[in-house]
């Protein structure tokens, strides 16, 4: 929605300095903003980051418009720049969003609840069969920031706009409702999420229901007794549209008959029977579908029409909602970003931001389809799309579909190719053109872009490990909040980031501005540099054979004895370098590597005043900071490190040297050991015995490749150790000990998850496959199988194997494809 800098200042009571210019986009993430004179950057202040710190960088990149706090010292403005000074930048953004909400002419709906909000919102959008326009907020844009930004994305003339609202503490929903002000409020359910932030679950539910305080109708499931009671008590005067199995429900569900792959649903509404079939069998998906259908039934009651009939005609096309963009390794050294469920301008903007985020210096290519059911005239719609592509610096467009092809003249200046169908694209596309590019696939469901995805991806083993980069960044920032101001962070990415993937993980963490990376060997550091990583990298196991490569790629060695010191100094001199950074390792009790206390004087004599080397940091290693039984030893070690490092710094006469000792457990348990820097390892990947607040990062998944029924008495696998005790159904899964699934988990010691049910391993695990018992579980060939999902299962597997989570993760073989989400 367009506005101006002067209008923004007027709406939020700010002070405009500089020009009055047109604004089309509000941005708050400095890493995901392209150069455009119609973008305004909102400098938000978070728990660990202050947006004002990035204004200088953005000005260098050509961003001209800023919303800043009143106490921010304005720089000398360049020609064309504008600064709007406000008391609170988030409140200013929300005030602008609230003002823009007033200009939305159609119906506005909002979804809240503990679970299923995003899915219900996305399925309401997928079932829309109106003739007019639809806006749906991008996935999970449900926060104080996300809702505000989503509202600014609206054009204003949509017939239906659907938002999602989530809260984590009291007071938040009042602000969200002030922006959204929905005509229809959909409440999914109430669960335990964020219970600890509210006096009671009932209080949390009442806070969520504030979303409906100005609405005309509320849609909810009367089977959730707590929700039903609260809704009827809080809003007895509203149009309460409940659904459920109760005979009193307005939309009464009379049957759910399941097959292996679908559910046939029947319900009664106003004396009329309805039926539909959905491609899901799990209870959560069925409930979410019914919430979406109830919304359309409510919409019919409010304004007439036949929206429910149109929605019912589309339920068979529903698919699971991809909650995140999928980043995959493409052919010819490319990266493929997949977002092929919904196609709308809101989600296109988010996907383009992400493409720019991951592409660095890579050429950027977009393959997109017609945007379905936007409700806007094609000329207006694709003119906006073309502007978005130019704004993000897209260097090549491949467009598929009749509507976008008819508007090809709007894409002038962008090298483009147009195709009438996905089949024609696959037939004519030159796959070599993706070499070294970052490629966004953005297609409506009907265009079946999964075929293009398969064509452009590196052919992969059907067993994959999914990595949630957003969860990893959450874990990083969780630990940052435990640090004193100014303490720096080293992210441990050795052993391919503990099995999660080297360059991809490092790139995500580099965007979070970690101060250092640490790897084990030089070749790991070289791979990161070749992948475009520029952050300083410490090599912890510095071998003389790798010194030359380290110097070539600006890697910084750990120096742990006099021999390595002299050998590295010699290689630096041969390379004609000076003041090369090194990191001194002290032995404070682990006795693996490092200088002893009685060697400090000699070490200082060898290093002090040397123009060849420069000591960047002094560090040591905790052997047992995770073991409360050895806390006395750990405390003595902290004291020893403090004494030794202080002595060495005094001998060197350099107070600028960084000191670091703490690992993940040290960060959480020993604040006195933070010194100048900490090293974050396993906690980054979501695993800690000391907190349950970390988010899960890795999930190992495969598929069913064959199913067979076996009679009682049959034996399975090598050495015939698997015994079928009763008539059973057995599935083969393509994962074995060569993939990192330890053979010791054979014969029922571990179970996979198939369609929500546990399926034990039967017989011995083979090199490339294993068998599981799926008796009584609805399943088909090709169905997903979860080997482990999240940190709790990784810890549980480690306990069964009498090992540690590090080993579970690092044993996952390279042939198991890593898929990255954000």
């Amino acid at each position: 929605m367009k506005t101006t800098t002067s209008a923004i200042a007027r709406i939020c009571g700010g002070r405009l300095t500089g020009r009055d210019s047109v604004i089309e986009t509000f941005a708050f993430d400095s890493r995901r903003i392209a150069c455009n004179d119609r973008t305004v950057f909102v400098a938000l202040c978070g728990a660990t980051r202050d947006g004002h710190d990035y204004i200088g960088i953005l000005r260098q990149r050509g961003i001209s418009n800023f919303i800043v706090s009143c106490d921010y010292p304005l720089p000398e403005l360049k020609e064309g720049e504008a600064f709007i000074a406000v008391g609170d930048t988030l409140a200013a953004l929300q005030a602008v969003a609230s003002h823009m909400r007033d200009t939305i002419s159609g119906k506005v709906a909002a979804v809240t609840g503990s679970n299923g909000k995003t899915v219900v919102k996305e399925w309401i959008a997928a079932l829309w069969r109106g003739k007019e326009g639809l806006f749906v907020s991008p996935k999970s844009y449900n926060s104080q920031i996300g809702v505000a930004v989503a509202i600014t994305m609206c054009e204003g003339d949509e017939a239906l706009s659907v938002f999602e609202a989530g809260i984590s503490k009291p007071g938040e929903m009042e602000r969200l409702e002030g922006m959204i002000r929905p005509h229809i409020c959909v409440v999914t359910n109430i669960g335990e999420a964020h219970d600890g932030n509210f006096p009671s679950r009932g209080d949390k539910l009442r806070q969520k229901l504030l979303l409906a305080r100005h609405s005309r109708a509320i849609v909810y499931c009367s089977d959730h007794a707590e929700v039903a009671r609260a809704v009827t008590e809080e809003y007895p005067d509203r149009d309460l549209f409940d659904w459920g199995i109760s005979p009193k429900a307005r939309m009464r569900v009379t049957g759910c008959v399941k097959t292996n792959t679908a559910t046939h649903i029947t319900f009664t509404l106003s004396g009329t029977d309805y039926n539909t079939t959905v491609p899901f069998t799990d209870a959560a998906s069925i409930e979410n579908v019914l919430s979406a259908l109830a919304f359309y039934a409510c919409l019919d009651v409010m304004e007439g029409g036949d929206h429910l009939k149109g929605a019912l005609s589309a339920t068979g096309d529903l698919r699971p909602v991809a909650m995140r963009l999928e980043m995959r390794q493409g052919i010819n050294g490319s990266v493929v970003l997949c977002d092929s469920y919904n196609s709308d301008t809101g989600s296109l903007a988010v996907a383009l931001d992400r493409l720019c985020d991951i592409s660095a210096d890579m050429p950027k290519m977009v393959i997109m389809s017609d945007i379905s059911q936007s409700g806007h005239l094609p000329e207006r719609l694709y003119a906006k799309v073309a502007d978005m592509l130019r704004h993000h610096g897209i260097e090549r467009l491949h467009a598929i579909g009749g509507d976008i092809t008819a508007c090809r003249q709007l894409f002038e200046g962008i090298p483009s190719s147009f195709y009438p169908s996905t089949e024609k694209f696959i037939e004519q596309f030159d796959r070599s053109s993706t070499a070294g590019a970052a490629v966004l696939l953005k297609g409506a469901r009907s265009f079946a872009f999964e075929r293009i995805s398969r064509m452009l991806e590196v052919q992969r083993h059907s067993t994959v490990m999914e990595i949630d980069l957003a969860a990893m960044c959450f874990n990083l920032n969780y630990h940052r909040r435990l640090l004193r101001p100014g303490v720096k962070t080293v992210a441990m990415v050795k052993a391919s980031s503990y099995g999660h993937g080297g360059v991809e993980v490092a790139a995500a963490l580099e965007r979070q501005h970690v101060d250092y990376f640490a790897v084990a060997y030089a070749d790991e550091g070289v791979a990161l540099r070749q992948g475009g990583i520029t952050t300083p990298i410490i090599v912890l196991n510095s071998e003389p054979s790798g010194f030359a490569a380290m110097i070539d790629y600006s890697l910084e060695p750990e120096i742990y004895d006099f021999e390595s010191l002299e050998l590295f100094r010699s290689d630096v001199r041969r390379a004609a370098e000076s003041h090369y950074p090194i990191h001194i390792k002290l032995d404070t009790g682990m006795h693996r590597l490092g200088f002893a206390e009685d060697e400090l004087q000699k070490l200082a004599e060898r290093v002090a005043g040397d123009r060849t080397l420069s000591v960047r940091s002094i560090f040591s290693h905790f052997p047992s900071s995770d073991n409360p039984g050895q806390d006395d030893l750990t405390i003595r070690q902290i004291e020893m490190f403090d004494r030794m490092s202080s002595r060495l710094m005094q001998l060197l006469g350099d107070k600028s040297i960084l000191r670091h000792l703490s690992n993940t457990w040290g960060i959480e348990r020993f604040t006195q050991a933070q010194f100048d820097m900490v090293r974050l390892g396993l906690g980054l990947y979501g695993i800690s015995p000391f907190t349950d607040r970390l988010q899960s990062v890795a999930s190992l998944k495969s598929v069913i490749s064959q199913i067979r029924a076996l009679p009682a008495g049959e034996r399975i696998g090598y050495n015939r150790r698997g015994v079928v005790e009763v008539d059973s159904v057995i599935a083969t899964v393509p994962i074995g000990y060569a993939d990192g699934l330890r053979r010791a988990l054979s014969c029922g010691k571990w179970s996979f998850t198939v369609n929500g049910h546990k399926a034990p391993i039967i017989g011995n695990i083979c090199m490339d496959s294993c068998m599981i018992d799926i008796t009584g579980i609805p399943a088909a060939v090709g169905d997903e199988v979860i080997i482990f999902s999240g940190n709790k299962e990784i810890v549980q597997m480690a306990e069964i194997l009498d090992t540690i989570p590090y080993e579970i993760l690092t044993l996952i073989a390279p042939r198991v494809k890593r898929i990255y989400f954000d």
Side-chain angles (χ1 to χ4, degrees), residues 18-38:
R19 71 167 182 171
D20 186 17
S21 55
V22 174
I23 298 297
E24 293 182 345
T25 305
F26 288 77
F28 60 91
D29 189 335
S30 63
R31 299 157 300 166
R32 301 182 181 185
I33 178 172
C35 178
N36 188 280
D37 61 359
R38 296 193 172 189

Side-chain angles (χ1 to χ4, degrees), residues 694-811:
L694 301 183
Q695 294 187 2
S696 297
V697 174
S699 298
L700 184 61
K701 299 180 179 181
S702 191
V703 297
I704 293 175
S705 55
Q706 187 180 51
I707 295 175
R708 66 173 68 245
L710 294 178
E714 286 293 321
R715 289 181 172 270
I716 293 173
Y718 285 116
N719 297 321
R720 296 170 56 79
R721 287 185 62 198
V723 180
V724 179
E725 296 181 353
V726 297
D727 293 353
S728 301
V729 180
I730 307 300
T732 301
V733 181
I735 182 173
Y737 56 79
D739 300 296
L741 183 66
R742 291 275 297 275
R743 196 168 182 269
L745 295 171
S746 299
C747 300
K749 291 183 180 177
W750 188 254
S751 296
F752 298 168
T753 302
V754 180
N755 292 328
H757 301 272
K758 290 296 183 181
I761 297 171
I762 184 167
N764 278 333
I765 294 171
C766 310
M767 180 181 290
D768 307 301
S769 61
C770 62
M771 285 67 74
I772 55 176
D773 187 342
I774 60 169
T775 304
I777 299 175
V781 171
D783 279 3
E784 181 181 78
V785 175
I786 302 173
I787 291 84
F788 62 68
S789 180
N791 44 25
K792 292 182 180 179
E793 289 192 339
I794 294 170
V795 171
Q796 183 183 359
M797 182 181 284
E799 290 172 348
I800 291 171
L801 292 170
D802 192 24
T803 185
I804 54 179
Y806 296 87
E807 183 175 357
I808 301 299
L809 291 167
T810 57
L811 281 177

Side-chain angles (χ1 to χ4, degrees), residues 312-434:
L312 287 169
S313 70
T315 53
D317 296 328
L318 289 176
R319 294 293 183 271
V321 175
M323 298 301 290
R324 312 169 191 91
L325 297 170
E326 299 180 15
M327 185 170 66
R328 300 173 178 174
Q329 181 181 350
I331 59 175
N332 304 317
S334 65
V335 173
V336 180
L337 189 64
C338 299
D339 188 12
S340 302
Y341 184 74
N342 282 337
S343 182
D344 54 74
T345 55
S347 61
L348 175 61
V350 174
L352 288 170
D353 283 347
R354 180 65 179 133
L355 183 71
C356 292
D357 192 18
I358 66 171
S359 61
D361 296 327
M362 303 170 74
K364 291 181 281 292
M365 177 186 296
V366 171
I367 302 172
M368 67 175 294
S369 74
D370 283 348
I371 293 180
S372 304
Q373 298 182 339
S374 73
H376 298 302
L377 292 174
E379 292 80 6
R380 177 182 173 186
L381 171 66
Y382 292 111
K384 180 175 182 179
V385 170
D387 284 345
M388 293 169 68
L389 298 182
R390 294 187 188 99
H391 169 75
H392 288 84
I394 302 305
E395 296 162 58
R396 183 73 195 181
L397 168 67
H398 294 276
I400 301 173
D403 290 345
I404 195 170
T405 298
C407 297
R408 61 195 307 160
Q409 76 281 358
L410 299 173
F411 296 89
E412 183 179 354
I414 305 172
S416 305
S417 300
F418 295 86
Y419 310 84
S421 65
T422 301
E423 290 75 15
K424 282 295 182 183
F425 171 85
I426 292 172
E427 177 185 323
Q428 299 174 13
F429 182 67
D430 178 8
R431 291 190 291 175
S432 66
S433 67
T434 64

